[in-house]
Amino acid sequence: MTILCYGEIDLDIYVALNRLPTRERSAWCSDDFENIGGAAANSAMWLANWGVPTRLAGHDLGDDRSGDVVRELLVALPELDTRYIACHAGYRTPRCQCLVTPDGERSFITHWPQEVLMTPPSPAMLDGVKLLNLDMSGPTPLRLKAAELAAERNIPVLINDIYQTDHPLLPLIDVLVISVAVARGKQADAKPLDLAADMKQAGDCDVIVTDAGADIHILARDGTLEVVSPPALSPVDTTGAGDIFKSGLAYALLQGLPLTDAVRWGAAAGSLMCQYAGTTKTLAPLSEVRALLETMI
C-alpha cells in the first residue's frame, strides 16, 4: 500500500515574527528553527509517521549542511523510502524561510529556486505504489511524466492547485484539490465553485474546494455535492496545512473510505497540523487525528 509523494523537498527555516517587516521598520523574532519542508516532503513525513509505507522523490539534495540535516530527519522515519532522492556534490540544497505572524499566516522567501534539480520519474519509482500524490509547486513536465506512468498502471493520482481546464495533467488525475484563496489570487472575481464544476467536467475527476477554515465543498465526478465543516481552531502556523490535508485525504482513500469521509480525515489532519509551529517539527500521531475527527462527526 505504498504512496509515492513526488515534488518539493527542501529545508525550511521557521521564523516566528510579531509582524512582517517593512522598510525602515524591523520585526521581532520570538522563535526560529529548521525542519523539513516542501509540499511532497511535508505530506510524506506525516504519512510515514502514521505507519504508511511512503516513497518520497522529486527535489534532489546537496552535500552541504542543509542536505545533511534533511537526510538525518528523513532517515529517522522507518516507513519512508528515500532511495530516489539524489545527492550532488557542490549543489545547494533547496531552502525556504517561512515567516509566521501571530495569526498563523505565513510568507515565504525561497532560496535559489532557479538552481533546483529534480530526479525524473521512472517506472521503477512506481513499483508497488497504490496512490500517487503530486504537488504543483514547480515545473509541469516531470509531474506530467509521473502522472502518465501512473495512468499506465491504473494508479490513482491525487494533486492540488490546477486552475486551467486545458491543463495537460487534468485528464490524468482522479482527485483534485483547489484553494479559494489561490483561485482568487489568480483572478480577483473568480467563483471557485463554478471553476470547480468546470474542472470536474473537463477532467472527469473529483474536485475538492478548500477555503482556509471555512466549509470544504466536494464536487464528486458523479455530480453529487457534499460539504464538510473543518474543526474551529485558532491556528499557530498554517504553513503546509494543505499538504497535510492531502496526507489525511490520501490515508483515508487508501483505507477504502468514501470520498466525503476521506475529506473529513484531511480536514482533521490539516487543522491539527496548524496547532503546531513548523509543518514537520511535530508529527502528530494518528490517535490525535482520530480524536479531532470525532469532534467533527
Side-chain angles (χ1 to χ4, degrees):
M1 295 216 322
T2 300
I3 293 179
L4 170 60
C5 296
Y6 184 87
E8 272 192 322
I9 307 167
D10 62 40
L11 182 67
D12 277 2
I13 301 97
Y14 168 91
V15 183
L17 299 176
N18 64 321
R19 60 176 185 80
L20 291 178
T22 57
R23 181 180 294 181
E24 301 296 340
R25 190 179 178 195
S26 66
W28 296 350
C29 173
S30 58
D31 191 16
D32 65 351
F33 55 79
E34 295 176 328
N35 68 168
I36 290 179
N42 291 338
S43 291
M45 290 187 68
W46 277 67
L47 285 163
N49 181 62
W50 295 338
V52 178
T54 306
R55 188 168 297 150
L56 175 61
H59 284 179
D60 298 342
L61 303 177
D63 62 350
D64 53 2
R65 191 198 71 84
S66 296
D68 291 341
V69 172
V70 172
R71 279 184 289 273
E72 182 178 347
L73 293 172
L74 291 177
V75 78
L77 293 167
E79 295 292 346
L80 192 58
D81 177 359
T82 61
R83 75 183 83 170
Y84 295 102
I85 302 176
C87 178
H88 304 281
Y91 169 66
R92 296 191 290 184
T93 295
R95 295 196 311 178
C96 179
Q97 294 184 55
C98 305
L99 311 180
V100 182
T101 47
D103 58 0
E105 289 300 321
R106 66 279 187 267
S107 301
F108 303 116
I109 301 174
T110 304
H111 293 214
W112 40 85
Q114 71 281 0
E115 298 179 12
V116 169
L117 299 176
M118 297 184 72
T119 296
S122 65
M125 197 181 284
L126 281 93
D127 284 349
V129 168
K130 300 299 182 184
L131 178 68
L132 172 61
N133 175 21
L134 287 174
D135 68 62
M136 283 302 294
S137 303
T140 296
L142 292 181
R143 290 163 172 84
L144 180 60
K145 178 62 175 177
E148 289 171 344
L149 290 171
E152 292 173 3
R153 302 188 184 196
N154 295 315
I155 298 172
V157 178
L158 164 64
I159 198 168
N160 59 291
D161 290 336
I162 294 177
Y163 299 92
Q164 303 85 34
T165 55
D166 61 349
H167 197 286
L169 267 162
L170 197 55
L172 298 170
I173 66 177
D174 296 271
V175 182
L176 169 65
V177 182
I178 64 174
S179 161
V180 168
V182 175
R184 289 186 174 148
K186 293 177 177 293
Q187 184 177 342
D189 59 351
K191 297 180 179 179
L193 289 182
D194 290 345
L195 173 63
D198 292 340
M199 302 295 285
K200 178 185 74 68
Q201 182 174 358
D204 187 28
C205 58
D206 300 315
V207 181
I208 300 164
V209 184
T210 63
D211 188 8
D215 284 348
I216 301 166
H217 291 79
I218 308 161
L219 283 74
R221 65 195 339 156
D222 65 7
T224 58
L225 172 65
E226 298 283 347
V227 178
V228 168
S229 298
L233 300 171
S234 298
V236 173
D237 178 12
T238 58
T239 308
D243 306 331
I244 310 311
F245 173 88
K246 288 175 68 187
S247 296
L249 178 66
Y251 176 87
L253 290 174
L254 269 191
Q255 310 309 309
L257 294 180
L259 181 61
T260 301
D261 291 340
V263 169
R264 290 192 181 97
W265 268 91
S271 298
L272 180 60
M273 189 235 76
C274 292
Q275 302 306 292
Y276 300 105
T279 308
T280 62
K281 183 175 176 61
T282 301
L283 302 172
L286 271 178
S287 58
E288 290 189 24
V289 182
R290 289 194 178 101
L292 189 53
L293 184 63
E294 288 297 320
T295 68
M296 296 170 58
I297 296 174

